[in-house]
Amino acid sequence: MITVTDLEISFPDKKLFEDVNLIFTEGNCYGIIGANGAGKSTFLKVLSGEREANKGNVSFTKNARLSKLSQDHYAYEEYTVLDTVLSGDEKLYSIMKEKDAIYAKEDFTDEDGIKAAELEIEFAEMGGYEAESEASTILQGLGIDNSKLYMLMSDLTESDKIKVLLAQALFGKPDILLLDEPTNGIDLKAIYWLQEFLINFEGIVIVVSHDRYFLNEVCTMMVDIDFGKIQMFTGNYDFWYESSQLALKMAKDENKKKEDKVKELKEFIQRFSANKSKSKQATSRKKLLDKITLDDIKPSSRRYPFVGFSLSREAGNEILNFNNFNLYDEDKCLIKNLDLRVNKGDKIAFIGNEIAISKLFDYITDENNINDESFTWGQTITYQYFPKDNSEYFEGVDLNLIDWLRQYSKEKSESFIRGFLGKMLFSGDEVYKNSSVLSGGEKVRMMFSKMMVEPLNFIILDQPTNHLDLESIEAVNNGLIAYKGNMLFTSQDHQFVNSLANRIIEIFDDGSYRDESITYDQYIEKYITQ
């Protein structure tokens, strides 16, 4: 159990939250949510002891072992993969190293023998002789083969390093797990293995994530940082989101009879009470949900941008075709023999080799490649491209937001431009901010303003949810669901992909591909989780 009492965190120019009183209990997974800058990662640091609170305290059940996902991907460069994972249990790893050092002595004494025997007993009691097997099992679940156990971390790819650090956090059956964005940078199979691990984890899990599907699958409680407070709500992310929207609707409709509101609330709770995550706790969750009253649900203070795209014209029969298309990165073939016809209504999600996908999107939107006859755009098509790296649009550009967006608009009036900036939550004097100093999330919102300012009928998106908070992700997702044109896109957000795609193309590392006209969930069930 973790008990948070009268907690306050503040900086010289800002108070994040105060009067925080929470209890975290075993068997639950808690999702920490809040707008960017609300203090999610700071709260995790307070729980882990990395940061002191300005006021209040955090206490743990006696002898509880806490484990935290390391954010420093280069902290263990000189360690082997196996040692990195084993070091997740500091006490066990220390005993193991001390024991090995004694046995390595050339002048082994009787005292050394006695000490080694004591360490052997303690090591065995801690499950030390099963440690390497457990570490190997976790690593294999995350996609790290046994052949890499004795490789140095410095020799691994970035993706594999992240998986090893995740295995380090999970190793040794900790009582408390603190995970900050654990799905970032790992592949689908690893994500689904991790979901199952956390669903069956018996201790306390506290996680920060922008992946709504992941939060829905693993979380039994949401911890919302809002209004300078931290409050705990029963249910997963969708339950919290829908309930906050319901509360907002109720707040706007003060004349509605309370009896009708209570009926609506009960119907709403009934829909969400059967959340499949942690099914063994479904009965207790339903009891908790049934106890929720109107006073428990409050509207969020968060602001949601508006994303919407208008069609320039109806697309003709020819949209985009690839004929024996090959794509190279120097001598390496990234995509080979791609034969593909984009049909009306296709919203195609590309998954798999991210480098190949980004190169493909860059290539077909580069006007220098217009004479490449292995792919052709239809004459009726007007497209907009959202690249993964948008730095070229902002670096060295000394313009305020109005003038930046005016570059891409046929209509130049300030009132017209301000309308689109307002939809992206840039209002008042914010519109005079220099475009070169924007945060990552602000740049993404400006890129969507650029795409919205002119009608189009084809959209290409490369990781559009990167850098966005959950509110902006919801807005982008809803805007693209409503969009009637064609799309090619890639994203690591499961819910985003599943809600949009009616066709999946997976690019494999050898350049081959698979093309299926099914939903993302159907594709995963067919090929990933079988």
Side-chain angles (χ1 to χ4, degrees):
M1 180 184 292
I2 305 174
T3 304
V4 179
T5 307
D6 198 25
L7 193 74
E8 178 182 315
I9 295 292
S10 60
F11 296 107
D13 59 339
K14 181 181 180 181
K15 182 177 287 185
L16 288 180
F17 38 77
E18 61 183 346
D19 301 325
V20 178
N21 294 281
L22 301 169
I23 295 176
F24 298 87
T25 57
E26 289 78 7
N28 281 305
C29 179
Y30 300 83
I32 310 294
I33 57 174
N36 284 351
K40 300 183 292 294
S41 295
T42 301
F43 184 57
L44 279 190
K45 288 178 180 178
V46 172
L47 294 180
S48 68
E50 294 175 65
R51 190 192 193 285
E52 288 189 12
N54 298 82
K55 182 183 176 184
N57 62 77
V58 177
S59 60
F60 301 87
T61 300
K62 188 177 180 181
N63 297 324
R65 188 171 81 80
L66 181 148
S67 184
K68 185 174 185 291
L69 175 61
S70 174
Q71 298 300 307
D72 185 352
H73 299 170
Y74 303 98
Y76 299 89
E77 294 291 88
E78 301 307 313
Y79 283 60
T80 65
V81 167
L82 181 60
D83 273 2
T84 301
V85 177
L86 295 177
S87 68
D89 187 335
E90 293 182 6
K91 185 175 180 181
L92 178 69
Y93 187 69
S94 174
I95 291 171
M96 183 183 77
K97 286 300 181 184
E98 185 178 359
K99 180 167 63 75
D100 290 347
I102 291 173
Y103 288 134
K105 284 186 173 182
E106 292 184 4
D107 53 343
F108 191 85
T109 65
D110 290 343
E111 289 77 11
D112 290 330
I114 294 170
K115 180 62 177 177
E118 293 172 349
L119 291 172
E120 291 284 7
I121 293 171
E122 190 172 5
F123 188 69
E125 288 175 346
M126 294 181 68
Y129 292 107
E130 294 80 43
E132 290 192 11
S133 175
E134 180 192 344
S136 174
T137 299
I138 295 172
L139 285 166
Q140 288 184 68
L142 291 169
I144 301 294
D145 188 79
N146 279 342
S147 62
K148 297 181 179 180
L149 286 178
Y150 299 99
M151 286 178 62
L152 289 177
M153 289 287 284
S154 58
D155 294 330
L156 297 185
T157 64
E158 186 70 10
S159 176
D160 280 353
K161 285 180 184 179
I162 294 170
K163 290 178 182 179
V164 175
L165 293 176
L166 187 52
Q168 179 192 63
L170 304 180
F171 170 73
K173 301 177 178 61
D175 302 292
I176 300 162
L177 263 175
L178 304 183
L179 304 174
D180 195 349
E181 299 291 357
T183 63
N184 280 5
I186 63 174
D187 56 66
L188 277 175
K189 288 189 176 181
I191 290 172
Y192 290 107
W193 183 90
L194 175 62
Q195 285 175 185
E196 288 302 311
F197 183 96
L198 296 180
I199 286 170
N200 294 297
F201 186 74
E202 296 181 355
I204 297 170
V205 181
I206 303 176
V207 59
V208 171
S209 177
H210 285 84
D211 187 329
R212 296 164 297 167
Y213 181 86
F214 182 77
L215 292 175
N216 283 328
E217 288 296 297
V218 304
C219 290
T220 56
M221 308 281 283
M222 302 309 297
V223 180
D224 182 32
I225 304 179
D226 202 0
F227 300 106
K229 307 288 184 182
I230 304 182
Q231 292 181 292
M232 195 176 286
F233 296 93
T234 302
N236 62 9
Y237 175 77
D238 273 354
F239 185 88
W240 170 86
Y241 175 74
E242 295 292 343
S243 63
S244 68
Q245 295 301 300
L246 176 62
L248 185 62
K249 175 186 173 184
M250 291 177 173
K252 290 179 178 178
D253 190 9
E254 295 179 358
N255 295 324
K256 189 175 182 181
K257 291 182 179 179
K258 187 168 183 179
E259 292 81 6
D260 292 339
K261 294 180 182 179
V262 171
K263 181 182 178 182
E264 187 174 357
L265 175 64
K266 286 183 177 178
E267 290 174 352
F268 168 70
I269 290 172
Q270 186 65 34
R271 291 201 310 272
F272 278 86
S273 61
N275 175 356
K276 68 179 180 181
S277 70
K278 295 217 172 186
S279 56
K280 63 184 179 181
Q281 299 174 14
T283 302
S284 60
R285 179 187 297 108
K286 188 177 188 310
K287 289 178 181 177
L288 287 169
L289 291 171
D290 286 340
K291 292 178 182 178
I292 293 176
T293 67
L294 283 172
D295 293 335
D296 294 325
I297 297 178
K298 301 183 186 301
S300 170
S301 69
R302 296 177 181 80
R303 298 164 64 208
Y304 290 78
F306 172 80
V307 177
F309 303 97
S310 56
L311 289 179
S312 55
R313 61 184 292 186
E314 184 73 22
N317 291 326
E318 297 300 318
I319 296 173
L320 175 62
N321 296 317
F322 294 88
N323 180 26
N324 196 28
F325 177 85
N326 293 279
L327 184 65
Y328 290 86
D329 182 12
E330 296 180 349
D331 294 332
K332 180 177 175 58
C333 184
L334 299 176
I335 300 176
K336 59 186 177 184
N337 303 327
L338 178 64
D339 285 301
L340 170 67
R341 177 186 176 88
V342 178
N343 305 306
K344 276 190 177 182
D346 275 348
K347 292 185 176 180
I348 305 175
F350 282 76
I351 65 173
N353 187 330
E354 292 183 22
I355 294 173
I357 295 167
S358 293
K359 290 278 187 183
L360 172 66
F361 290 175
D362 286 342
Y363 188 86
I364 65 175
T365 56
D366 187 340
E367 292 185 359
N368 293 322
N369 300 321
I370 197 169
N371 294 321
D372 186 340
E373 295 181 355
S374 63
F375 77 98
T376 54
W377 286 100
Q379 292 184 353
T380 61
I381 300 303
T382 53
Y383 64 79
Q384 288 272 16
Y385 176 36
F386 182 103
K388 181 190 295 186
D389 181 4
N390 58 39
S391 58
E392 65 177 284
Y393 293 90
F394 299 95
E395 289 178 357
V397 180
D398 187 20
L399 296 172
N400 64 39
L401 302 192
I402 293 174
D403 291 336
W404 186 93
L405 187 56
R406 186 180 276 135
Q407 300 174 97
Y408 306 103
S409 175
K410 291 180 181 178
E411 170 61 61
K412 304 296 184 182
S413 70
E414 182 167 324
S415 59
F416 179 82
I417 300 297
R418 271 182 172 270
F420 283 92
L421 291 174
K423 290 176 182 178
M424 285 291 111
L425 306 182
F426 295 107
S427 58
D429 289 341
E430 281 186 305
V431 299
Y432 299 113
K433 183 187 297 187
N434 194 293
S435 59
S436 64
V437 300
L438 297 178
S439 68
E442 287 173 329
K443 288 177 180 177
V444 170
R445 285 190 277 133
M446 287 300 295
M447 290 297 293
F448 276 109
S449 296
K450 170 185 176 294
M451 296 174 70
M452 289 164 54
V453 79
E454 290 293 341
L456 67 163
N457 60 15
F458 198 108
I459 295 177
I460 304 171
L461 303 161
D462 191 353
Q463 302 293 350
T465 61
N466 285 2
H467 307 294
L468 291 181
D469 55 25
L470 284 166
E471 294 70 48
S472 297
I473 292 172
E474 291 279 0
V476 172
N477 204 161
N478 291 336
L480 291 171
I481 289 172
Y483 170 64
K484 302 302 182 184
N486 285 94
M487 286 174 54
L488 304 182
F489 71 101
T490 186
S491 172
Q492 291 184 329
D493 187 309
H494 180 117
Q495 191 164 326
F496 185 86
V497 177
N498 194 57
S499 65
L500 294 173
N502 55 17
R503 188 173 170 185
I504 308 295
I505 296 177
E506 182 168 8
I507 307 295
F508 299 103
D509 288 343
D510 65 357
S512 62
Y513 67 96
R514 180 192 289 135
D515 183 357
E516 294 268 2
S517 292
I518 55 179
T519 68
Y520 191 44
D521 275 348
Q522 289 169 339
Y523 188 91
I524 287 170
E525 184 176 355
K526 187 174 181 180
Y527 295 110
I528 307 298
T529 59
Q530 60 180 347

